[in-house]
Amino acid sequence: MKKKSVIITCACVAAALVIGGVGLFVWTRKGDSKSDNVVYVNTVEQLMNLGSGNGLLNRFSGVVESQDTWKVQQNTEKTVKDILVEEGQEVQAGTPLFTYDTDKFQTDLEQAGLDSERINTEIESMKSNIAQLNKDKKSAPKESQATLQLQIREAELQLRQKEYEAKSKEVEIGKLQENINNATVTSEIAGIVKSINNGTASGDPYGEQDTSFMTILSTGAFRIKGKVNEMNIGGLSENAAVLVHSRVDDSAVWKGTITKIDRENAEAGNNNGMYASTDSMSQTSSYPFYVTLENSDNLMLGQHVYIELDNGQDSESKAGIWLDEYFIGDPDSEPYVWADNGKGKLEKRKITLGQYDENMMKYEIAEGLGKKDAITFPEPDLKEGMQTAIGEDGMMGQSNPAGPEDGIDAGDGSDMGTMDDGQIIPEGEDAVVSGGGEVLK
């Protein structure tokens, strides 16, 4: 592999990482003075441990939730009298949750009963009146029968209206009686009371705005709800395999599959669901996605976790030191890495390579580098003796890189340029990374 091809490959990998939203190769804008330039490095141990948060994988924040959730809506025509459970309490199907105030219903029922009796009395009176009119018609002279017939029809119409009023009152009484009988709301599922919010919006940063009166989470199977930034959503796909890490014990890992990416319900936020993010990604929208787990042993409802795509990094690790190929300069003849010399200065360190893993695109480092040594990405204008510092959150590269206007070239005859945000662009390449992380053709 020639030096130029290595540099171009490295630059393309860095571009892909920027598109993915990972804050690994981060450079700040160039200042007026190059004397403040610092080369950020990370230890080999951190770079080998992709699950540590300092490797090359995006991590997304997530929370354990139930596969089955029952949201209890309050009847707006009723007033809650007593809440019989507390948040976090475990309930069974049929457990009383809360009761409605029935005093008003009881009063209304009594009044409706009196109204019904009055209406029925009026109906009986109307029937008697109609019967009398029919009797009078039979004995009335011929010239009076037409008038009596009109009176009968009008009385029959009034009777039908009153009978309809009686039926409506019966329906009203039935509803009032039902409200009294069903004043206690019971749980439909076995689970845990997640929230009791009296109809106000939920403050859960991982949840949607929830205006339900009470939420019950099933104690059955769990799933993970994650959040992905709009800049990174293209890197996720449904049916993709993922690893779920505990936030407190990184050795605790669960495997799962992304079953849904909800692109219809954007949520505004600052951290955008990313464990490592850059300032350029602030004030952007994030979207929920859901992970179905192979098993949920030892997980707890509401537990916060990290999610990352499963690229085989959780498989049994190889013995020795293995580095991604883009950290290695001139691997075909005189391989080297840019490393901290242990005194805060940069040095070009020769190394001896061992095996090459084509699937993972990694080299085994046989000699010249230990896990505690710190290295950086091989930018073309690095020089021995430059000041170094350990980068935070996986930051690597120069803080104030030089560009063509400073009289610096790639060192292999190719012209290199930098964007305003310090990203290196190989001249003549088809893909260029924009400041917004888009690939421009």
Side-chain angles (χ1 to χ4, degrees):
M1 185 184 295
K2 296 182 180 180
K3 183 175 181 181
K4 180 176 180 180
S5 63
V6 173
I7 294 173
I8 293 176
T9 300
C10 296
C12 291
V13 172
L17 292 173
V18 172
I19 296 171
V22 183
L24 181 59
F25 305 114
V26 179
W27 294 272
T28 59
R29 297 179 181 273
K30 298 188 290 292
D32 296 331
S33 172
K34 297 295 182 284
S35 61
D36 295 331
N37 191 18
V38 175
V39 181
Y40 292 107
V41 295
N42 261 242
T43 65
V44 171
E45 184 176 34
Q46 288 174 322
L47 295 173
M48 287 178 61
N49 183 10
L50 297 182
S52 68
N54 292 318
L56 305 180
L57 296 180
N58 276 359
R59 278 189 159 188
F60 306 95
S61 58
V63 65
V64 179
E65 66 175 26
S66 174
Q67 286 278 19
D68 186 14
T69 301
W70 180 43
K71 296 182 181 296
V72 187
Q73 301 295 337
Q74 179 183 345
N75 188 328
T76 56
E77 297 179 355
K78 301 180 182 181
T79 302
V80 173
K81 181 178 182 180
D82 295 311
I83 298 176
L84 308 176
V85 293
E86 299 177 349
E87 290 186 359
Q89 179 177 334
E90 186 171 351
V91 297
Q92 302 298 322
T95 299
L97 301 176
F98 60 92
T99 60
Y100 288 113
D101 188 349
T102 61
D103 291 345
K104 183 179 184 302
F105 296 130
Q106 189 64 47
T107 301
D108 292 344
L109 180 62
E110 293 173 359
Q111 181 60 52
L114 294 174
D115 293 342
S116 179
E117 290 180 9
R118 175 183 53 78
I119 293 171
N120 289 328
T121 299
E122 292 175 354
I123 289 174
E124 292 302 320
S125 176
M126 288 178 174
K127 287 180 178 180
S128 297
N129 182 47
I130 293 173
Q132 184 62 46
L133 289 172
N134 282 316
K135 184 178 179 180
D136 292 344
K137 177 184 174 184
K138 289 181 181 180
S139 59
K142 207 171 200 182
E143 60 272 15
S144 301
Q145 288 184 358
T147 301
L148 289 171
Q149 183 62 38
L150 289 175
Q151 292 176 358
I152 291 171
R153 289 182 179 177
E154 183 178 352
E156 287 176 341
L157 177 60
Q158 292 175 349
L159 175 61
R160 286 196 296 270
Q161 291 175 338
K162 188 61 67 174
E163 287 175 338
Y164 176 79
E165 186 178 345
K167 289 181 180 179
S168 297
K169 188 60 66 174
E170 289 176 4
V171 172
E172 180 184 347
I173 290 173
K175 288 183 177 180
L176 289 169
Q177 190 64 58
E178 182 181 358
N179 284 332
I180 293 172
N181 294 339
N182 298 327
T184 301
V185 177
T186 59
S187 179
E188 295 181 0
I189 62 174
I192 295 176
V193 180
K194 177 188 177 184
S195 63
I196 304 172
N197 54 36
N198 294 304
T200 59
S202 169
D204 182 1
Y206 295 92
E208 302 168 3
Q209 292 300 306
D210 185 4
T211 57
S212 57
F213 177 75
M214 190 176 292
T215 302
I216 310 294
L217 299 179
S218 171
T219 50
F222 294 152
R223 69 177 180 180
I224 307 296
K225 178 182 179 180
K227 293 176 70 176
V228 57
N229 186 273
E230 65 185 52
M231 306 289 288
N232 311 337
I233 195 170
L236 298 183
S237 62
E238 293 181 358
N239 300 318
V242 297
L243 298 176
V244 177
H245 292 264
S246 166
R247 286 199 176 194
V248 296
D249 180 8
D250 204 57
S251 65
V253 181
W254 297 264
K255 292 188 175 183
T257 304
I258 296 176
T259 52
K260 180 182 178 182
I261 302 174
D262 190 353
R263 295 177 171 85
E264 303 300 323
N265 294 295
E267 302 174 8
N270 291 326
N271 66 358
N272 307 301
M274 285 194 61
Y275 173 63
S277 61
T278 63
D279 290 340
S280 64
M281 295 178 188
S282 61
Q283 305 303 323
T284 56
S285 297
S286 59
Y287 299 82
F289 65 94
Y290 299 91
V291 174
T292 296
L293 299 166
E294 292 183 3
N295 71 80
S296 55
D297 297 344
N298 301 319
L299 281 173
M300 300 179 294
L301 277 175
Q303 179 178 345
H304 294 276
V305 294
Y306 295 128
I307 309 165
E308 63 186 32
L309 290 173
D310 185 356
N311 295 322
Q313 66 271 23
D314 195 51
S315 58
E316 186 176 350
S317 59
K318 299 180 180 180
I321 296 176
W322 291 79
L323 282 180
D324 292 282
E325 63 180 4
Y326 43 78
F327 285 108
I328 315 300
D330 200 8
D332 293 332
S333 55
E334 297 183 359
Y336 67 90
V337 293
W338 286 103
D340 181 278
N341 65 0
K343 300 179 180 179
K345 298 295 182 180
L346 191 67
E347 67 176 8
K348 187 175 183 180
R349 184 181 302 182
K350 293 183 179 180
I351 57 174
T352 302
L353 299 180
Q355 305 174 67
Y356 178 68
D357 187 328
E358 293 184 358
N359 294 325
M360 299 299 293
M361 294 185 291
K362 293 177 181 290
Y363 278 105
E364 179 186 17
I365 310 300
E367 294 181 4
L369 205 58
K371 290 185 177 181
K372 299 301 181 183
D373 289 327
I375 64 174
T376 191
F377 184 74
E379 298 179 72
D381 55 337
L382 294 178
K383 295 180 180 180
E384 291 191 302
M386 296 177 74
Q387 182 180 352
T388 61
I390 296 295
E392 297 181 359
D393 293 330
M395 181 184 295
M396 297 183 70
Q398 299 178 69
S399 65
N400 200 7
E405 66 275 17
D406 302 301
I408 303 297
D409 60 28
D412 61 354
S414 63
D415 294 329
M416 304 292 289
T418 59
M419 300 184 67
D420 289 340
D421 58 359
Q423 299 169 20
I424 299 178
I425 309 169
E427 184 174 306
E429 289 296 301
D430 292 335
V432 177
V433 182
S434 74
E438 300 176 334
V439 178
L440 308 178
K441 296 289 187 180

